[in-house]
Amino acid sequence: MARPNYKASVLLVEDEEHLHETLRLNLELEGYEVTSAYDGSQAMKSIQQEYFDVIVLDIMLPEMDGISVTESVRLQNNDVPILILSAKNTPADKITGLKKGADDYLTKPFNLEELLLRVDKLISKNKRIQDRETVGDTYTFGSNKVDFKAQEATIKDGSVISLSKKEAMLLKLLVENKNEVVTREKILQTVWGYNVYPTTRTIDNFILNFRKYFEEDTRNPRYFHSVRGVGYKYTE
């Protein structure tokens, strides 16, 4: 189910202007928020600055082709769904695109309705993966107990502390993805909201606070870990 008033965001990367405008118009008519890029480097800049629910990406692009863009995105551990559009229609081309990290591959000329259907499916699938089974209002680990609703926690020494809204949100996100690395992009998208990017240091400070509250030994954390260059992880 889509969130009320939430418009899924699409990055459209296509250098052929007429096709770009046609696709943009149709995606907007479907209710998507569309950001345009006309070459590979422009696309990479947008991806580094914003969160997208899906990328519709042409292969033959100036500056940096679609395959290179896909590779770069995946190297950054960004798991945004990518739909490749290509005039190349041999099985080998398709396999290359999928091997490099694309989620879907559509050859030109394509049916517009099919493209819109595939975009919708990729967004829905991604949404389901992100909406993991949620934890309840309270969660206990070690000698700590967190009440997400009240935004407070009983910590290791028995005292009760207040949590800021963002602390509670980040804590819940990490717990819901227990034992898995949560990427910086996903944290920014979920906790700070779309397209609002604080620095990595901001998230690091939150993790340091969690260690101070909940860890017996802050230098050798058991629960809260930073994974350099990738993201953060809660383990139990």
Side-chain angles (χ1 to χ4, degrees):
M1 285 292 292
R3 280 163 283 178
N5 306 322
Y6 173 67
K7 277 184 160 190
S9 55
V10 179
L11 174 62
L12 175 60
V13 193
E14 167 61 66
D15 65 322
E16 204 276 280
E17 271 186 53
H18 179 68
L19 177 59
H20 190 114
E21 288 316 307
T22 304
L23 290 176
R24 185 187 175 96
L25 178 66
N26 280 277
L27 287 162
E28 285 175 344
L29 287 170
E30 290 292 308
Y32 299 122
E33 190 85 55
V34 182
T35 297
S36 288
Y38 294 89
D39 62 56
S41 359
Q42 203 182 352
M44 285 310 299
K45 205 171 283 182
S46 296
I47 292 159
Q48 276 149 15
Q49 288 170 350
E50 294 180 43
Y51 171 84
F52 295 103
D53 291 284
V54 69
I55 298 171
V56 177
L57 177 66
D58 184 32
I59 279 192
M60 309 290 276
L61 290 167
E63 308 252 344
M64 183 182 189
D65 67 33
I67 296 291
S68 303
V69 171
T70 303
E71 261 188 307
S72 301
V73 168
R74 295 298 180 239
L75 283 169
Q76 291 168 8
N77 289 289
N78 185 337
D79 52 9
V80 58
I82 296 174
L83 168 60
I84 277 183
L85 304 179
S86 176
K88 298 177 169 183
N89 58 5
T90 70
D93 290 317
K94 190 171 184 176
I95 286 164
T96 301
L98 296 171
K99 261 188 175 172
K100 296 294 183 187
D103 297 86
D104 204 349
Y105 193 103
L106 201 53
T107 53
K108 297 177 179 180
F110 50 80
N111 177 295
L112 189 58
E113 210 169 321
E114 184 183 356
L115 176 123
L116 295 171
L117 196 62
R118 289 188 185 210
V119 165
D120 180 60
K121 280 200 158 171
L122 285 174
I123 291 172
S124 304
K125 183 181 169 190
N126 192 42
K127 186 78 185 72
R128 279 198 305 277
I129 291 167
Q130 289 190 359
D131 289 348
R132 297 275 171 118
E133 191 181 330
T134 55
V135 295
D137 288 338
T138 60
Y139 184 78
T140 305
F141 59 103
S143 51
N144 306 292
K145 185 179 180 183
V146 181
D147 186 327
F148 294 109
K149 209 170 186 179
Q151 284 176 220
E152 61 181 33
T154 307
I155 59 172
K156 56 183 188 282
D157 63 3
S159 58
V160 176
I161 58 160
S162 292
L163 297 169
S164 69
K165 189 179 179 187
K166 284 191 169 39
E167 281 181 325
M169 286 169 79
L170 177 55
L171 195 50
K172 195 169 192 186
L173 177 66
L174 291 170
V175 166
E176 283 174 357
N177 291 275
K178 186 165 67 175
N179 301 324
E180 286 184 32
V181 177
V182 183
T183 63
R184 178 174 176 269
E185 286 78 14
K186 186 167 177 182
I187 289 172
L188 295 172
Q189 171 218 341
T190 310
V191 179
W192 272 268
Y194 289 80
N195 306 339
V196 180
Y197 274 48
T199 63
T200 305
R201 183 164 290 178
T202 307
I203 308 175
D204 283 336
N205 287 337
F206 273 62
I207 299 295
L208 289 173
N209 284 343
F210 291 165
R211 287 178 186 161
K212 205 162 60 186
Y213 304 153
F214 304 120
E215 301 279 9
E216 294 294 339
D217 179 355
T218 53
R219 284 166 183 248
N220 295 295
R222 175 183 167 188
Y223 303 111
F224 298 97
H225 309 273
S226 298
V227 183
R228 189 178 287 281
V230 184
Y232 305 84
K233 182 163 75 164
Y234 166 77
T235 56
E236 217 180 298

